[in-house]
mmCIF file with all atom_site columns, all heavy atoms in Angstrom:
data_model
loop_
_atom_site.group_PDB
_atom_site.id
_atom_site.type_symbol
_atom_site.label_atom_id
_atom_site.label_alt_id
_atom_site.label_comp_id
_atom_site.label_asym_id
_atom_site.label_entity_id
_atom_site.label_seq_id
_atom_site.pdbx_PDB_ins_code
_atom_site.Cartn_x
_atom_site.Cartn_y
_atom_site.Cartn_z
_atom_site.occupancy
_atom_site.B_iso_or_equiv
_atom_site.pdbx_formal_charge
_atom_site.auth_seq_id
_atom_site.auth_comp_id
_atom_site.auth_asym_id
_atom_site.auth_atom_id
_atom_site.pdbx_PDB_model_num
ATOM 1  N N   . GLY F 1 131 ? -34.418 -24.109 -16.741 1.00 0.00 ? 131 GLY F N   1
ATOM 2  C CA  . GLY F 1 131 ? -35.847 -23.799 -16.634 1.00 0.00 ? 131 GLY F CA  1
ATOM 3  C C   . GLY F 1 131 ? -36.543 -24.540 -15.511 1.00 0.00 ? 131 GLY F C   1
ATOM 4  O O   . GLY F 1 131 ? -35.914 -25.071 -14.600 1.00 0.00 ? 131 GLY F O   1
ATOM 5  N N   . ILE F 1 132 ? -37.862 -24.569 -15.637 1.00 0.00 ? 132 ILE F N   1
ATOM 6  C CA  . ILE F 1 132 ? -38.696 -25.099 -14.563 1.00 0.00 ? 132 ILE F CA  1
ATOM 7  C C   . ILE F 1 132 ? -39.446 -26.321 -15.101 1.00 0.00 ? 132 ILE F C   1
ATOM 8  O O   . ILE F 1 132 ? -39.897 -26.316 -16.234 1.00 0.00 ? 132 ILE F O   1
ATOM 9  C CB  . ILE F 1 132 ? -39.751 -24.060 -14.128 1.00 0.00 ? 132 ILE F CB  1
ATOM 10 C CG1 . ILE F 1 132 ? -39.137 -22.671 -13.983 1.00 0.00 ? 132 ILE F CG1 1
ATOM 11 C CG2 . ILE F 1 132 ? -40.488 -24.480 -12.882 1.00 0.00 ? 132 ILE F CG2 1
ATOM 12 C CD1 . ILE F 1 132 ? -38.240 -22.516 -12.806 1.00 0.00 ? 132 ILE F CD1 1
ATOM 13 N N   . THR F 1 133 ? -39.572 -27.323 -14.271 1.00 0.00 ? 133 THR F N   1
ATOM 14 C CA  . THR F 1 133 ? -40.347 -28.511 -14.677 1.00 0.00 ? 133 THR F CA  1
ATOM 15 C C   . THR F 1 133 ? -41.674 -28.528 -13.928 1.00 0.00 ? 133 THR F C   1
ATOM 16 O O   . THR F 1 133 ? -41.710 -28.267 -12.723 1.00 0.00 ? 133 THR F O   1
ATOM 17 C CB  . THR F 1 133 ? -39.563 -29.796 -14.336 1.00 0.00 ? 133 THR F CB  1
ATOM 18 O OG1 . THR F 1 133 ? -38.325 -29.750 -15.052 1.00 0.00 ? 133 THR F OG1 1
ATOM 19 C CG2 . THR F 1 133 ? -40.332 -31.038 -14.742 1.00 0.00 ? 133 THR F CG2 1
ATOM 20 N N   . ASN F 1 134 ? -42.727 -28.825 -14.660 1.00 0.00 ? 134 ASN F N   1
ATOM 21 C CA  . ASN F 1 134 ? -44.034 -28.951 -14.026 1.00 0.00 ? 134 ASN F CA  1
ATOM 22 C C   . ASN F 1 134 ? -44.195 -30.396 -13.548 1.00 0.00 ? 134 ASN F C   1
ATOM 23 O O   . ASN F 1 134 ? -44.296 -31.323 -14.344 1.00 0.00 ? 134 ASN F O   1
ATOM 24 C CB  . ASN F 1 134 ? -45.120 -28.598 -15.045 1.00 0.00 ? 134 ASN F CB  1
ATOM 25 C CG  . ASN F 1 134 ? -46.497 -28.586 -14.401 1.00 0.00 ? 134 ASN F CG  1
ATOM 26 O OD1 . ASN F 1 134 ? -46.644 -28.959 -13.233 1.00 0.00 ? 134 ASN F OD1 1
ATOM 27 N ND2 . ASN F 1 134 ? -47.502 -28.138 -15.133 1.00 0.00 ? 134 ASN F ND2 1
ATOM 28 N N   . LEU F 1 135 ? -44.189 -30.547 -12.225 1.00 0.00 ? 135 LEU F N   1
ATOM 29 C CA  . LEU F 1 135 ? -44.307 -31.899 -11.668 1.00 0.00 ? 135 LEU F CA  1
ATOM 30 C C   . LEU F 1 135 ? -45.762 -32.256 -11.353 1.00 0.00 ? 135 LEU F C   1
ATOM 31 O O   . LEU F 1 135 ? -46.044 -33.193 -10.613 1.00 0.00 ? 135 LEU F O   1
ATOM 32 C CB  . LEU F 1 135 ? -43.461 -32.023 -10.397 1.00 0.00 ? 135 LEU F CB  1
ATOM 33 C CG  . LEU F 1 135 ? -41.954 -31.888 -10.568 1.00 0.00 ? 135 LEU F CG  1
ATOM 34 C CD1 . LEU F 1 135 ? -41.255 -31.904 -9.219  1.00 0.00 ? 135 LEU F CD1 1
ATOM 35 C CD2 . LEU F 1 135 ? -41.379 -32.992 -11.442 1.00 0.00 ? 135 LEU F CD2 1
ATOM 36 N N   . GLY F 1 136 ? -46.671 -31.500 -11.909 1.00 0.00 ? 136 GLY F N   1
ATOM 37 C CA  . GLY F 1 136 ? -48.085 -31.759 -11.648 1.00 0.00 ? 136 GLY F CA  1
ATOM 38 C C   . GLY F 1 136 ? -48.569 -30.974 -10.458 1.00 0.00 ? 136 GLY F C   1
ATOM 39 O O   . GLY F 1 136 ? -49.299 -30.001 -10.592 1.00 0.00 ? 136 GLY F O   1
ATOM 40 N N   . ILE F 1 137 ? -48.048 -31.318 -9.305  1.00 0.00 ? 137 ILE F N   1
ATOM 41 C CA  . ILE F 1 137 ? -48.487 -30.623 -8.089  1.00 0.00 ? 137 ILE F CA  1
ATOM 42 C C   . ILE F 1 137 ? -47.715 -29.333 -7.858  1.00 0.00 ? 137 ILE F C   1
ATOM 43 O O   . ILE F 1 137 ? -48.141 -28.443 -7.134  1.00 0.00 ? 137 ILE F O   1
ATOM 44 C CB  . ILE F 1 137 ? -48.379 -31.556 -6.856  1.00 0.00 ? 137 ILE F CB  1
ATOM 45 C CG1 . ILE F 1 137 ? -49.052 -30.904 -5.647  1.00 0.00 ? 137 ILE F CG1 1
ATOM 46 C CG2 . ILE F 1 137 ? -46.959 -31.952 -6.562  1.00 0.00 ? 137 ILE F CG2 1
ATOM 47 C CD1 . ILE F 1 137 ? -49.348 -31.855 -4.530  1.00 0.00 ? 137 ILE F CD1 1
ATOM 48 N N   . MET F 1 138 ? -46.561 -29.212 -8.509  1.00 0.00 ? 138 MET F N   1
ATOM 49 C CA  . MET F 1 138 ? -45.747 -28.003 -8.302  1.00 0.00 ? 138 MET F CA  1
ATOM 50 C C   . MET F 1 138 ? -44.741 -27.829 -9.438  1.00 0.00 ? 138 MET F C   1
ATOM 51 O O   . MET F 1 138 ? -44.512 -28.748 -10.236 1.00 0.00 ? 138 MET F O   1
ATOM 52 C CB  . MET F 1 138 ? -44.988 -28.109 -6.982  1.00 0.00 ? 138 MET F CB  1
ATOM 53 C CG  . MET F 1 138 ? -44.040 -29.274 -6.990  1.00 0.00 ? 138 MET F CG  1
ATOM 54 S SD  . MET F 1 138 ? -42.878 -29.225 -5.660  1.00 0.00 ? 138 MET F SD  1
ATOM 55 C CE  . MET F 1 138 ? -41.846 -30.609 -6.081  1.00 0.00 ? 138 MET F CE  1
ATOM 56 N N   . PHE F 1 139 ? -44.181 -26.632 -9.485  1.00 0.00 ? 139 PHE F N   1
ATOM 57 C CA  . PHE F 1 139 ? -43.104 -26.360 -10.427 1.00 0.00 ? 139 PHE F CA  1
ATOM 58 C C   . PHE F 1 139 ? -41.784 -26.441 -9.665  1.00 0.00 ? 139 PHE F C   1
ATOM 59 O O   . PHE F 1 139 ? -41.716 -26.010 -8.518  1.00 0.00 ? 139 PHE F O   1
ATOM 60 C CB  . PHE F 1 139 ? -43.272 -24.961 -11.027 1.00 0.00 ? 139 PHE F CB  1
ATOM 61 C CG  . PHE F 1 139 ? -44.466 -24.850 -11.911 1.00 0.00 ? 139 PHE F CG  1
ATOM 62 C CD1 . PHE F 1 139 ? -45.711 -24.483 -11.400 1.00 0.00 ? 139 PHE F CD1 1
ATOM 63 C CD2 . PHE F 1 139 ? -44.355 -25.122 -13.269 1.00 0.00 ? 139 PHE F CD2 1
ATOM 64 C CE1 . PHE F 1 139 ? -46.821 -24.394 -12.218 1.00 0.00 ? 139 PHE F CE1 1
ATOM 65 C CE2 . PHE F 1 139 ? -45.466 -25.037 -14.097 1.00 0.00 ? 139 PHE F CE2 1
ATOM 66 C CZ  . PHE F 1 139 ? -46.699 -24.666 -13.577 1.00 0.00 ? 139 PHE F CZ  1
ATOM 67 N N   . TYR F 1 140 ? -40.770 -26.973 -10.338 1.00 0.00 ? 140 TYR F N   1
ATOM 68 C CA  . TYR F 1 140 ? -39.497 -27.123 -9.637  1.00 0.00 ? 140 TYR F CA  1
ATOM 69 C C   . TYR F 1 140 ? -38.356 -26.922 -10.638 1.00 0.00 ? 140 TYR F C   1
ATOM 70 O O   . TYR F 1 140 ? -38.467 -27.340 -11.792 1.00 0.00 ? 140 TYR F O   1
ATOM 71 C CB  . TYR F 1 140 ? -39.410 -28.514 -8.997  1.00 0.00 ? 140 TYR F CB  1
ATOM 72 C CG  . TYR F 1 140 ? -38.348 -28.610 -7.946  1.00 0.00 ? 140 TYR F CG  1
ATOM 73 C CD1 . TYR F 1 140 ? -38.548 -28.040 -6.692  1.00 0.00 ? 140 TYR F CD1 1
ATOM 74 C CD2 . TYR F 1 140 ? -37.135 -29.217 -8.206  1.00 0.00 ? 140 TYR F CD2 1
ATOM 75 C CE1 . TYR F 1 140 ? -37.560 -28.097 -5.712  1.00 0.00 ? 140 TYR F CE1 1
ATOM 76 C CE2 . TYR F 1 140 ? -36.141 -29.280 -7.247  1.00 0.00 ? 140 TYR F CE2 1
ATOM 77 C CZ  . TYR F 1 140 ? -36.364 -28.713 -5.996  1.00 0.00 ? 140 TYR F CZ  1
ATOM 78 O OH  . TYR F 1 140 ? -35.383 -28.756 -5.048  1.00 0.00 ? 140 TYR F OH  1
ATOM 79 N N   . PRO F 1 141 ? -37.253 -26.250 -10.188 1.00 0.00 ? 141 PRO F N   1
ATOM 80 C CA  . PRO F 1 141 ? -36.145 -26.021 -11.118 1.00 0.00 ? 141 PRO F CA  1
ATOM 81 C C   . PRO F 1 141 ? -35.599 -27.339 -11.669 1.00 0.00 ? 141 PRO F C   1
ATOM 82 O O   . PRO F 1 141 ? -35.249 -28.242 -10.895 1.00 0.00 ? 141 PRO F O   1
ATOM 83 C CB  . PRO F 1 141 ? -35.083 -25.332 -10.252 1.00 0.00 ? 141 PRO F CB  1
ATOM 84 C CG  . PRO F 1 141 ? -35.818 -24.765 -9.095  1.00 0.00 ? 141 PRO F CG  1
ATOM 85 C CD  . PRO F 1 141 ? -36.988 -25.669 -8.863  1.00 0.00 ? 141 PRO F CD  1
ATOM 86 N N   . THR F 1 142 ? -35.557 -27.420 -12.987 1.00 0.00 ? 142 THR F N   1
ATOM 87 C CA  . THR F 1 142 ? -35.148 -28.666 -13.635 1.00 0.00 ? 142 THR F CA  1
ATOM 88 C C   . THR F 1 142 ? -33.745 -29.091 -13.211 1.00 0.00 ? 142 THR F C   1
ATOM 89 O O   . THR F 1 142 ? -33.482 -30.270 -12.959 1.00 0.00 ? 142 THR F O   1
ATOM 90 C CB  . THR F 1 142 ? -35.176 -28.485 -15.167 1.00 0.00 ? 142 THR F CB  1
ATOM 91 O OG1 . THR F 1 142 ? -36.414 -27.869 -15.508 1.00 0.00 ? 142 THR F OG1 1
ATOM 92 C CG2 . THR F 1 142 ? -35.030 -29.799 -15.902 1.00 0.00 ? 142 THR F CG2 1
#
Side-chain angles (χ1 to χ4, degrees):
Chain F
I132 315 289
T133 300
N134 185 353
L135 295 175
I137 189 164
M138 62 167 186
F139 292 89
Y140 197 75
T142 313

